Every structure is written in C-alpha cells, then in structure tokens.
Amino acid sequence: MEQQQKQKISGVREQSQNLLTHITSVFAELRQILNEEEQRFHKELREEEESVLNPMENNLREIQEKLNSIQEQLLKLQERMNQMDSLIFLKEETRQKRRVSDEERTLSVADGALAIGKFDHPFLLSKLTDGIKRGKNERIKTSLETLTKDKSAGEQMEQQQKQKISGVREQSQNLLTHITSVFAELRQILNEEEQRFHKELREEEESVLNPMENNLREIQEKLNSIQEQLLKLQERMNQMDSLIFLKVRSYIFTLIQYKGTITK
C-alpha cells in the first residue's frame, strides 16, 4: 500500500509538471504570435505611411522646384528691369541737360525751318524703339508682379504641404505608440494569465497531493507501529523460546534423574 501511494503521488507530480510545461509552451507561442502581429502592424503602418507620404513629398519637391524656377526668373527679370531703369535714367538725364543748355542760349535772330527730321525713317525708328522698350518694361513689370504672386502662392502651398507631411508623420508616430502600448498591455495580460494558471495548478496539485501525502504518512506511521509491535513480539518470542527451552531442558533433566532412580 505504501508503494502504491508513493507511485500515485509521483504520478500526480509528474502530471503537474507536464501541465506546467504545457502551459509555459502555450504562453510562449502566444507571445510569439503577439510579437509577429506587432511586427506586422508596424510594417503595415510604415507601408501605409510611405504610400501617403511619397506623393506628398514628390509634390513638395515639385513645388520647391517650381519656386526655384520662379526665383530664377524673378532674378533675371529684376536684372533686366535694373538695366532698363538705368538706360531710361541716362536718356532722361541727357534730355534734361539739353533743355538746360537751350535755356542758357543768348538771345539772337530767330530762324526757322520745318522739322522734317522727325518724319525721317531713323527718327521714326527711334520712336518705335523707345515705345517697344517702354512696352517691354511694362511687360517685364507685369511678369514680375505675376511671378511675385506665383511665388507667394507657391510658398504658401509649400508651407501647407510641409504641414500636411508633418501631420501624417505625427499621426503615424501616434499610431505606432498606440500599437506598442496595446501590445504591451496584451503581453502584461498574458503574463498575468500565465501566473494565474501556474498558481491554480500549484493549488490543484496541493489539493490532490495533500490528502495522498497525509494518507502516506498515516500508512508509514501504521507500518512503524506494526514494526514496533513485530519487534516487541519477536522479543517476547525470543524470551518465550528461551523460557520454554529452559523449562524443556529442566523437564528432560528431571526425567533423566527419575529414570536413574528407577533403574537403581
């Protein structure tokens, strides 16, 4: 019975250890699944972020290239404007000097002639050239104003695009933080559940083993008591055997003596 009880206790402990190993293995698999799922979410989020940001960043580069082109055009037009303004200033200064010179002339007999020169081809060409230059100047000013407006609009668009890109990146980072937080909570739940299973298994093992171990102790105590009784009985048997032996020997000795008396 003692041996059977020990075997049953050993069987329960082995079963408990196997269950503990199984629980640990199951929760290790669950953690692995969580890690893979978290990595999958991270990868999908990065891909989604790239799919949203790539067109926005390409658009931002196009805006910036356009702004650079506008800036180059503005510099060239401004340079042409400066050159034309200098030329106009020099011509105006020359005309002013001529007027001053005419005013300083002394009085004299006046003579007159038709100013046929202004009707001559070179003079007409000069007038036309001045008109074209003034027209060009006006067109350049108009182009400058248009390009300046385009630049302002482009800079505003650039700033808006940068803000949108920054917003997407911030949103992506917030989602990444949220995902990490959620999976951290899931891991914490797994840890707590694993510890709960371990605790319940130990309690179940104790609830099964305690009566069996108590019963084993009772069996062993009973065996010890029986052993003590056997020892005592054996001792008594030994004592009785000695007494019987003495009695038998005394009886034999008496018979021998009695036989000798009869013989005489």
Side-chain angles (χ1 to χ4, degrees):
M1 190 180 295
E2 179 189 24
Q3 189 62 30
Q4 291 176 349
Q5 189 67 74
K6 285 182 178 180
Q7 288 175 352
K8 288 183 180 294
I9 291 172
S10 177
V12 170
R13 284 177 175 159
E14 183 178 357
Q15 184 183 22
S16 176
Q17 184 59 45
N18 291 338
L19 282 172
L20 183 63
T21 302
H22 176 68
I23 291 169
T24 302
S25 174
V26 167
F27 277 92
E29 290 179 6
L30 290 174
R31 288 190 185 91
Q32 181 64 28
I33 291 171
L34 277 183
N35 291 337
E36 292 173 357
E37 285 298 301
E38 183 178 14
Q39 292 302 317
R40 184 177 66 82
F41 271 100
H42 285 185
K43 181 181 177 183
E44 289 181 359
L45 179 59
R46 285 194 299 270
E47 291 174 351
E48 181 68 18
E49 181 184 8
E50 289 176 1
S51 69
V52 173
L53 284 179
N54 283 344
M56 298 173 74
E57 290 175 340
N58 290 335
N59 189 56
L60 177 61
R61 280 192 292 272
E62 291 177 1
I63 292 171
Q64 291 171 334
E65 289 172 0
K66 185 67 175 176
L67 282 174
N68 292 335
S69 176
I70 291 172
Q71 183 63 30
E72 289 177 2
Q73 294 179 53
L74 281 171
L75 290 173
K76 289 178 181 179
L77 287 174
Q78 188 63 50
E79 184 178 355
R80 290 179 64 185
M81 280 290 294
N82 292 337
Q83 291 174 351
M84 294 187 69
D85 287 344
S86 298
L87 181 60
I88 292 169
F89 173 76
L90 290 173
K91 286 185 176 181
E92 187 64 30
E93 187 178 20
T94 301
R95 291 194 189 98
Q96 184 67 25
K97 285 181 178 179
R98 285 176 180 172
R99 286 196 295 271
V100 171
S101 176
D102 291 340
E103 289 172 358
E104 290 178 350
R105 289 176 184 174
T106 58
L107 294 173
S108 62
V109 176
D111 194 6
L114 290 174
I116 59 175
K118 64 180 179 180
F119 301 104
D120 196 8
H121 177 68
F123 188 79
L124 287 173
L125 182 62
S126 177
K127 286 285 186 180
L128 288 172
T129 303
D130 289 342
I132 291 170
K133 287 181 179 179
R134 283 194 295 272
K136 282 184 178 180
N137 193 24
E138 291 299 324
R139 286 198 298 274
I140 290 172
K141 286 182 178 180
T142 302
S143 297
L144 277 173
E145 291 175 358
T146 302
L147 286 173
T148 302
K149 290 179 181 179
D150 291 343
K151 180 184 178 184
S152 177
E155 288 173 343
Q156 185 177 0
M157 193 180 298
E158 178 189 27
Q159 187 62 29
Q160 290 174 348
Q161 189 66 77
K162 286 181 177 179
Q163 289 174 351
K164 287 182 181 295
I165 290 172
S166 177
V168 170
R169 284 177 175 158
E170 183 179 358
Q171 184 183 21
S172 177
Q173 184 59 45
N174 291 338
L175 282 172
L176 182 65
T177 302
H178 176 68
I179 290 169
T180 303
S181 175
V182 168
F183 277 92
E185 290 178 6
L186 290 174
R187 288 190 185 89
Q188 182 62 30
I189 291 171
L190 276 183
N191 291 335
E192 292 174 357
E193 285 298 301
E194 184 178 14
Q195 293 301 317
R196 184 177 65 81
F197 271 101
H198 286 185
K199 181 182 177 183
E200 289 180 358
L201 180 60
R202 287 194 300 270
E203 291 174 351
E204 181 68 19
E205 180 185 9
E206 289 176 0
S207 68
V208 174
L209 285 178
N210 284 345
M212 297 174 74
E213 289 174 342
N214 290 335
N215 188 56
L216 177 61
R217 281 192 294 271
E218 290 178 1
I219 292 171
Q220 290 172 334
E221 289 173 0
K222 186 68 175 176
L223 284 173
N224 291 335
S225 176
I226 291 171
Q227 183 65 29
E228 289 178 0
Q229 292 180 39
L230 282 172
L231 289 172
K232 289 179 180 179
L233 287 173
Q234 187 64 46
E235 185 179 355
R236 289 181 63 187
M237 282 291 293
N238 292 336
Q239 291 175 353
M240 288 181 69
D241 288 344
S242 300
L243 181 59
I244 290 170
F245 174 74
L246 291 174
K247 285 183 176 181
V248 170
R249 190 179 67 174
S250 176
Y251 179 72
I252 292 171
F253 182 73
T254 301
L255 286 175
I256 291 172
Q257 286 182 341
Y258 180 72
K259 183 179 179 182
T261 302
I262 292 174
T263 303
K264 291 179 180 180

